[in-house]
Amino acid sequence: MKTSIEPFKIKMVEHIKQTTREERLEYLKEAHYNVFLIRAENILIDFLTDSGTGAMSDQQWAAIMTGDEAYAGSKSFFHFEETVQQITSFKHIIPTHQGRAAERILFEIVLKNKKGQKIPNNTHFDTTRANIEYHDTEAVDLVIPEGKIPECDHPFKGNMDLGKLEEFLDKNHKHVPLGMITITNNSGGGQPVSMENIKETARLYRKYKIPFFIDCCRFAENAYFIKQREKGYGEKTILEIAREMFSYADGCAMSAKKDGMVNIGGFLAMNDDNLAMHARNLLILTEGFPSYGGLAGRDLDAMAVGLQEVLDENYLRYRVRTAEYMGERLLDAGVSIIRPTGGHAVYIDAAAFYPQIPAHQFPGQALVCELYKNGGIRGVEIGSLMFGKTDKITGDMIPASMELVRLAFPRRVYTQSHFDYAIETIIETFKEREKVRGLKITWEAPFLRHFSVHMVPLE
Ligand code: F0G
């Protein structure tokens, strides 16, 4: 049988409020055309992010009830530690409240008091990039060229460009305190990285004695793609594949708000004793004692259960099929998307959707606003609003390499009819594409501007 169904049934429901188009126009204006500033209760289908927005299972809620809230050495911590060790095999498991807390600690210990450093990755996610740049360090993206061409079909579009990485390391290795890879490659479309590529990336980092950390928020989705697409992995379990992926690295930074299937949580894991000692010292300073890291004991239990549940192949099949299904229907209607669809989201090519809007007038943000107006759907721009830079000499904007709108799917939250509704809204919006204009910025913060930016539509 080909059909993939939601591998769960619903035990508790959450009301969603219906709004009219007129109300939404008003909400959007009040939010300065920035959907991060709209109240969530005024959103019908929230595809802003797959981060921390999932539904926990009955087993996770049961684990919440038995959480141990001891300040030090709680039972919940050991449950969590054992689970993470079973999946990653890393020696030191350090809980943090979310992914960027793990990143902040990692970068602070490897970059402190060093200037002019560089950290390569396939593509850094925005918080990772910001945490690196905060230390006057360059965040370098070296994804394969196919990874930047939305319509180019490739089974592992998240792969590192190994030739470029080698060249880069040959030239810069003295200034590279850490090497990374992100699985799946969120900023490039949620695209997977092959096992072969992880292995070769590790070999290059090792050649220059550079510690290798995986940004592993969506490790289970990546493992599922390897199982589906890479020779030799079809018969392996997701756990076996995950264990092999981690075996090539020296550590990882995890936002458990994604494949940890929880609403809050994360961790940093590593083998190096000295690095772990420094990480724990910083953790105590800002997050909490190393056996809770800014979380409640019950959160650690929920994470431990979620990390087991995410390894279920039926779940991953349904998860990946959801994005595929939306992608197929949009392509049939003529909407350009990143192909093939990735694990956690569908990425619409906004530059192709609105060819009349130049990058400096933010075609992605225009589409985000239209989807909200037309159907109460909230997506996020991943283009020049998020990643555009200012040319220091001319003051002009240097656009991002792609103008995308990401519709990211909360885990186990929406049913197929929610997706059908979203698909219809996008197709209707596509039919009306010719009359839409771009936007301009009226206020912005010095970094991560997309979260708080104020904009107005151009006449
Ligand atoms: N790395 C990647 C690849 C991510 O996608 C994210 C978060 C983080 C690190 C940071 O984790 O949010 O727990 O601090 N991505 C979310 C998103 C926010 O919407 O894609 P965090």
Side-chain angles (χ1 to χ4, degrees), residues 270-285:
M270 62 193 74
N271 286 328
D272 186 291
D273 297 337
N274 188 43
L275 210 59
M277 180 195 71
H278 286 297
R280 288 200 177 100
N281 287 345
L282 260 186
L283 190 83
I284 294 178
L285 194 65

Side-chain angles (χ1 to χ4, degrees), residues 49 98-100 103 125 127 186 215 217-218 255 258 406:
T49 177
Q98 64 182 87
R100 73 199 68 179
E103 290 166 1
F125 188 63
T127 59
N186 183 6
D215 178 342
C217 307
R218 300 177 181 85
S255 167
K258 286 82 169 174
R406 183 185 74 170

Side-chain angles (χ1 to χ4, degrees), residues 123-144:
T123 316
H124 291 279
F125 188 63
D126 61 349
T127 59
T128 324
R129 174 178 303 283
N131 266 296
I132 292 171
E133 290 174 351
Y134 184 74
H135 289 280
D136 293 325
T137 295
E138 196 183 334
V140 181
D141 293 339
L142 298 172
V143 72
I144 55 169

Side-chain angles (χ1 to χ4, degrees), residues 2 44 111 113 132 174 204 211 217 242 271 300 309 395 398:
K2 241 187 117 207
L44 192 64
L111 295 173
N113 302 327
I132 292 171
K174 288 202 178 105
L204 289 174
C217 307
N271 286 328
L300 295 169
E309 289 180 352
I398 307 166

Side-chain angles (χ1 to χ4, degrees), residues 317-333:
R317 180 177 307 115
Y318 137 82
R319 175 87 178 143
V320 166
R321 180 63 200 140
T322 302
E324 235 173 45
Y325 170 74
M326 182 185 257
E328 284 162 7
R329 291 201 44 199
L330 293 182
L331 284 170
D332 282 349

